[in-house]
Amino acid sequence: MAILKVARIGHPALRTPARALTPEEIASPALQKLIDDMIDTMKDYDGVGLAAPQVHLDLQLAVIEVPGRDERAEGAVPLTVLVNPSVTKVGDATVDGWEGCLSIPELRGIVPRAKRVLLKALDREGRPIEVETAGFFARVIQHECDHLDGRVYLDRMPHMRSLTYLHEMEKYRHVDEDE
Ligand code: NI
């Protein structure tokens, strides 16, 4: 087990589009260890997703897991490894929701995302997976796939007024809701 260093916004790795992995790379012990290390890193940082550019690698690889107890989630998302993923919107509905990112520590902002998406990817054994999903799982998928294109959630915010530090969010958010 190894905890990897997470790149913060400003590091060029976060703005570099990732490349697809070959079947040989996916099967390699080095890549399987990287997947395990990314899972360990995501858990250690209390994240719900981690993409390879966040650990300084331009590879189309991400891991996602949302524990059932997590207050951010409407439901648990099982541990999912995404290799060479593509995501497409299903329908026109969008939904606003709070996002944060391990590469942008302590901040949260409201981001509109497609409510429902179709995910096509490979799993860690290189087998195709296809999932249509909505809600928080769909949000996390879109956030992680953005990382693989060199994007972060700030790029998706139509305006910055909701941007808040976590501490202030917890302290003052109830004030907004009462107004
Ligand atoms: Ni992120």
Side-chain angles (χ1 to χ4, degrees):
M1 158 167 170
I3 308 296
L4 305 172
K5 183 179 179 186
V6 174
R8 300 199 307 177
I9 189 83
H11 195 293
L14 292 169
R15 295 305 193 175
T16 304
R19 67 168 180 85
L21 286 154
T22 66
E24 294 72 29
E25 285 175 314
I26 296 166
S28 70
L31 195 90
Q32 293 298 316
K33 180 175 188 310
L34 172 63
I35 291 169
D36 289 336
D37 289 347
M38 284 177 62
I39 292 167
D40 290 340
T41 302
M42 171 177 67
K43 290 177 192 245
D44 191 69
Y45 279 80
D46 293 321
V48 294
L50 184 71
Q54 294 183 275
V55 291
H56 311 88
L57 296 168
D58 62 341
L59 304 174
Q60 289 181 18
L61 171 65
V63 296
I64 293 172
E65 185 181 39
V66 183
R69 55 178 153 59
D70 195 293
E71 68 204 17
R72 291 165 285 191
E74 295 138 30
V77 173
L79 178 63
T80 308
V81 177
L82 303 179
V83 178
N84 300 346
S86 70
V87 63
T88 49
K89 292 181 195 175
V90 177
D92 292 329
T94 61
V95 60
D96 286 343
W98 288 99
E99 291 189 24
C101 181
L102 297 179
S103 295
I104 310 166
E106 302 297 321
L107 286 169
R108 296 289 184 274
I110 293 177
V111 185
R113 296 283 188 186
K115 186 174 182 182
R116 179 167 283 275
V117 296
L118 175 66
L119 167 75
K120 292 182 181 176
L122 303 176
D123 69 12
R124 67 182 298 167
E125 273 87 43
R127 295 173 301 213
I129 50 175
E130 192 170 321
V131 183
E132 189 177 319
T133 187
F136 194 69
F137 191 13
R139 176 171 297 279
V140 176
I141 288 169
Q142 291 171 83
H143 179 116
E144 299 311 326
C145 287
D146 267 358
H147 276 303
L148 304 183
D149 291 330
R151 288 197 192 92
V152 297
Y153 78 85
L154 300 175
D155 307 339
R156 297 289 193 186
M157 291 175 67
H159 51 75
M160 289 286 152
R161 285 186 65 90
S162 65
L163 196 66
T164 175
Y165 284 103
L166 192 54
H167 176 80
E168 279 72 10
M169 179 181 179
E170 287 165 356
K171 197 168 177 183
Y172 298 115
R173 201 171 116 190
H174 67 281
V175 175
D176 279 346
E177 286 168 355
D178 287 347
E179 279 173 358

